[in-house]
Amino acid sequence: MGELPAALSFDLDPDIFDESISSSNARTRLGWRGISEGVPAIREALDAFAPGIPVTWFVRVDNQIADIYGRPGHLLEQHRALFEELRARGDEIAWHPHLYRRKDDGWEQETDDTALLAAMQAAIADMRTLGFEPRCGRIGEAYGSTGLMAAFDACGIPYDSTAMSGRKRVDGERTIDWLDTPRTAYRPSKADHRVPASPAHDVIEIPMSMLKVKADYDAEPFLRYLDLSFRTEAVACGMDSLVSEAPYLVAVTHPSALMPDFAPKGGHGLLSFDLGNMTRTLRLLAETAEMKGRELTFTTLGALGDRIAEELGRDADAA
């Protein structure tokens, strides 16, 4: 199998990003210590593990941020010095819109294609106005649709990393449907964004890496994305299979889930709220790769996308 390239990505969502952290509505509690304090701490810890590891930071730029703070790119503007420093050292600044619409006193997922396109175009225009040209996107809460893929094409974003291959959850809180999606990158079909087929969209979908994870409250391991904030012992059961089979890795982590101040009383059965946990999981990943005869390397998601695009191009030429 040879090389195992890994893209470490961090979704810079509000500190309370999930209902399991706080029982109040996570979509309306917006605090950003995960950026101001978490990002520098994560960057320092990664450099201590292996100096110069490149990271992809997915920043919230969307209509909800605009509605509350006055412009979609508020976080980029508010923390410009930090993001410019990260970019200068070789990290990637990517785009993480949560595409909501107002409902009563809260927010719900926007599903109308026209509204989605308008929100995405406004957000990406503001991001570019601030001097950031993202090449990768990830839609909040893993929402996907064929209209969204068309919007990525219209916005000129070549890579998306939203898909959670093998997962489906459609209820009052989430609309996640990637059950039949392959675990490797593909150009989404214009008829069904979840699978590859021709005719296809221009954007390349790069799914998050999925593995079996066993939280304290699970009876059996459950398919989840590779997350450096998940307790190392929880991901250990699926690491061997993941490293053996995956052509590349995409890890997804929320900074506040590595910060002890945000741990719920009584702890959490899956999230560690411990920065040291990130290093332990990376060490486990490196040891497993070595055992499998694979060379673990690190890359930005955009650079990984360029490699995948070249491979998909070769495959198309061969066909």
Side-chain angles (χ1 to χ4, degrees):
M1 293 288 287
E3 184 187 4
L4 179 60
L8 306 184
S9 68
F10 292 83
D11 287 1
L12 305 188
D13 284 319
D15 300 326
I16 306 300
F17 63 90
D18 189 81
E19 297 294 329
S20 68
I21 301 174
S22 172
S23 58
S24 61
N25 190 333
R27 290 175 178 168
T28 61
R29 295 187 61 185
L30 305 186
W32 306 100
R33 287 177 58 197
I35 297 178
S36 60
E37 301 173 28
V39 169
I42 289 167
R43 186 65 270 179
E44 182 178 356
L46 287 173
D47 284 336
F49 174 76
I53 288 180
V55 173
T56 299
W57 307 97
F58 278 94
V59 186
R60 282 284 304 270
V61 182
D62 53 51
N63 57 303
Q64 185 192 40
I65 299 297
D67 188 88
I68 294 171
Y69 298 106
R71 68 182 302 177
H74 166 79
L75 295 173
L76 287 172
E77 181 180 47
Q78 187 78 7
H79 303 279
R80 177 183 284 277
L82 173 61
F83 289 125
E84 288 184 345
E85 177 185 349
L86 293 169
R87 182 170 60 177
R89 60 165 293 150
D91 286 356
E92 178 178 23
I93 308 302
W95 181 33
H96 183 45
H98 277 243
L99 300 169
Y100 298 144
R101 59 189 173 214
R102 279 200 173 274
K103 180 182 180 182
D104 302 325
D105 294 329
W107 301 82
E108 67 178 5
Q109 178 65 55
E110 179 61 75
T111 58
D112 177 76
D113 285 346
T114 301
L116 289 169
L117 175 60
M120 291 175 71
Q121 287 179 322
I124 203 66
D126 198 37
M127 203 169 181
R128 288 167 174 158
T129 295
L130 289 164
F132 294 89
E133 184 66 45
R135 304 178 66 239
C136 300
R138 174 176 293 143
I139 304 301
E141 300 182 8
Y143 177 74
S145 72
T146 301
L148 269 176
M149 298 301 164
F152 272 118
D153 290 350
C155 290
I157 306 299
Y159 309 121
D160 176 50
S161 184
T162 299
M164 296 177 64
S165 305
R167 283 289 300 273
K168 181 175 181 178
R169 174 187 170 184
V170 179
D171 55 30
E173 288 294 325
R174 297 286 187 270
T175 305
I176 300 171
D177 187 359
W178 302 97
L179 192 62
D180 298 322
T181 298
R183 295 193 176 193
T184 55
Y186 65 98
R187 294 190 188 275
S189 166
K190 289 187 175 182
D192 184 347
H193 66 283
R194 298 167 295 185
V195 296
S198 183
H201 292 283
D202 294 331
V203 65
I204 294 175
E205 182 62 43
I206 308 174
M208 310 174 199
S209 293
M210 306 294 288
L211 75 165
K212 291 294 183 70
V213 176
K214 190 177 187 304
D216 289 352
Y217 44 78
D218 291 332
E220 299 291 339
F222 186 72
L223 194 64
R224 297 179 170 96
Y225 54 70
L226 176 61
D227 187 328
L228 303 181
S229 74
F230 289 172
R231 296 178 184 276
T232 303
E233 58 270 25
V235 302
C237 62
M239 191 68 76
D240 189 89
S241 177
L242 176 67
V243 170
S244 297
E245 300 170 3
Y248 43 77
L249 300 177
V250 178
V252 185
T253 307
H254 295 84
S256 61
L258 293 169
M259 300 170 67
D261 287 359
F262 296 103
K265 291 181 179 180
H268 194 287
L270 180 60
L271 302 175
S272 65
F273 299 97
D274 175 14
L275 191 58
N277 186 92
M278 177 181 72
T279 303
R280 289 191 293 274
T281 299
L282 287 172
R283 190 175 298 117
L284 173 64
L285 180 60
E287 291 171 353
T288 306
E290 183 178 12
M291 183 177 63
K292 295 295 181 182
R294 306 194 66 180
E295 180 188 3
L296 181 66
T297 61
F298 295 96
T299 180
T300 62
L301 193 56
L304 177 62
D306 290 342
R307 293 174 59 167
I308 291 168
E310 184 177 352
E311 292 169 3
L312 289 177
R314 286 199 301 267
D315 291 345
D317 292 340

